[in-house]
Amino acid sequence: MNLIEHPALRGTLLAGLGCNDARLLHDDGWRIVGDPTEGALLTPADQRRQGGP
C-alpha cells in the first residue's frame, strides 16, 4: 500500500509513532515491550520500514 495515496492512514501511523513508548524486539520471535496498543501501532510502521505490505 502506498501511504502517499492514503494520507489519513499515513497521519495515523505517524501520530502513533510520535506518541509511543513501546518497542518491538526480535529475539526468538517478535515481542512488544510496553503497552500492547502502542505496540500494535508500531507493527505496521515497522513493516513499511522493512518493505513489507
Side-chain angles (χ1 to χ4, degrees), residues 17-30:
L17 288 174
C19 303
N20 202 316
D21 293 324
R23 292 181 298 148
L24 291 177
L25 297 180
H26 185 257
D27 36 21
D28 291 336
W30 288 100

Side-chain angles (χ1 to χ4, degrees), residues 3-22:
L3 292 179
I4 292 173
E5 297 173 2
H6 302 279
L9 177 58
R10 183 177 186 273
T12 300
L13 291 176
L14 287 174
L17 288 174
C19 303
N20 202 316
D21 293 324

